[in-house]
Amino acid sequence: MNRSLRIVVVYPDLLGTYGDGGNGLVLTRRAERRGFPAELIEAASDGPLPVADVYTLGGGEDGPQVRATESLNEDGTLARAVRNGAVVFAVCAGYQIIGTTFPAADGSPVPGLGLLDVATVKGRAPRAVGEIVVDADLPGVGALTGFENHGGLTEVGPGAQPLGRVRTGVGNGDYTDGAWAGRVVGTYLHGPALARNPALADLLLRWATGEDELAPLDDYREQALRSERFEAALGRRTARGRRRVR
Ligand code: GLN
């Protein structure tokens, strides 16, 4: 790929509560460190969404989540880009938005963008808050670390596959987390998830660049962070030698 890779953070003014805009920054820097020119655009909700190779969507509160969905529907660019093969990485509210339905603050169903076959309802248990560890079903990605903070629970339909199995935490609410189909990935993991999980970032970059392999990077800081977070989430169990995390 010789032209610049364009990465768009979707509506950080509405979906910026949990720092997930960092996912766009991680993808940009990991592309540049491999010599791919990359352009990062933080696209606010008061303008047209730029055409891009990669879109990241983050978490947000219930009200802004509904407004973001309305704007994305009116704009139409994201759905067109997905049809044309763009990569989407959507977290929490963003994950719910790209699905078929999610609850508004009062619990009433709001139609999503329908870009991923997942449906979200209001959970009956207390809000899911805390560290989460997921064994990803995506090739070469391994264990994922993040934190979650959501009231909605999500069912993955036949048109998508769960992103992985929950080792600790809630995720979708059925011992799975997230979903993916084609080049569209959704998850409940904040962190930002791609800062904590460089292998997932590189999978998305491989899809976006069309490269089968990317030059390895020295991820010692990320690996130290991962060990520390896995220990925080699973500490007692790893200390007893069970459920070891790679
Ligand atoms: N409002 C959604 C929920 O609570 C998403 C929250 C979030 O993005 N962290 O389920």
Side-chain angles (χ1 to χ4, degrees):
M1 157 156 215
N2 40 27
R3 65 178 178 80
S4 182
L5 192 71
R6 187 182 265 191
I7 297 163
V8 163
V9 176
V10 178
Y11 300 169
D13 52 326
L14 297 176
L15 303 173
T17 313
Y18 297 86
D20 302 309
N23 289 325
L25 190 57
V26 169
L27 289 171
T28 307
R29 293 286 179 264
R30 293 185 77 81
E32 288 171 344
R33 285 166 69 191
R34 267 73 170 246
F36 297 104
E39 178 190 9
L40 177 65
I41 300 176
E42 305 221 333
S45 61
D46 60 357
L49 197 70
V51 174
D53 304 291
V54 183
Y55 294 89
T56 69
L57 291 83
E61 293 90 22
D62 295 346
Q65 178 174 348
V66 174
R67 287 210 297 286
T69 310
E70 288 164 355
S71 297
L72 287 169
N73 244 326
E74 272 166 37
D75 180 274
T77 306
L78 186 61
R80 265 195 311 278
V82 168
R83 282 198 296 277
N84 293 333
V87 174
V88 176
F89 183 64
V91 176
C92 205
Y95 170 43
Q96 298 177 0
I97 287 172
I98 63 169
T100 53
T101 179
F102 64 86
D106 65 2
S108 60
V110 177
L113 301 178
L115 305 176
L116 189 61
D117 187 11
V118 296
T120 301
V121 296
K122 220 175 178 61
R124 264 175 270 151
R127 214 173 158 77
V129 180
E131 286 292 312
I132 171 167
V133 176
V134 175
D135 288 313
D137 282 333
L138 287 167
V141 172
L144 299 172
T145 159
F147 71 90
E148 60 183 336
N149 188 337
H150 55 103
L153 298 178
T154 301
E155 190 173 336
V156 180
Q161 291 179 54
L163 186 60
R165 245 172 295 273
V166 171
R167 211 183 291 195
T168 186
V170 176
N172 291 329
D174 61 356
Y175 303 101
T176 70
D177 175 70
W180 70 287
R183 295 169 164 207
V184 177
V185 178
T187 178
Y188 276 110
L189 272 62
H190 302 290
L194 300 184
R196 289 200 194 188
N197 301 288
L200 179 57
D202 283 355
L203 177 67
L204 301 175
L205 275 182
R206 285 205 302 277
W207 288 350
T209 58
E211 301 286 326
D212 291 337
E213 264 181 58
L214 295 172
L217 297 177
D218 184 356
D219 285 333
Y220 74 95
R221 289 192 190 86
E222 289 83 351
Q223 294 310 334
L225 171 67
R226 285 169 64 75
S227 304
E228 191 263 334
R229 288 292 83 200
F230 284 132
E231 183 73 32
L234 306 166
R236 274 186 306 135
R237 276 172 287 187
T238 46
R240 277 195 245 124
R242 284 201 263 144
R243 296 179 180 228
R244 288 176 58 83
V245 184
R246 256 168 292 148

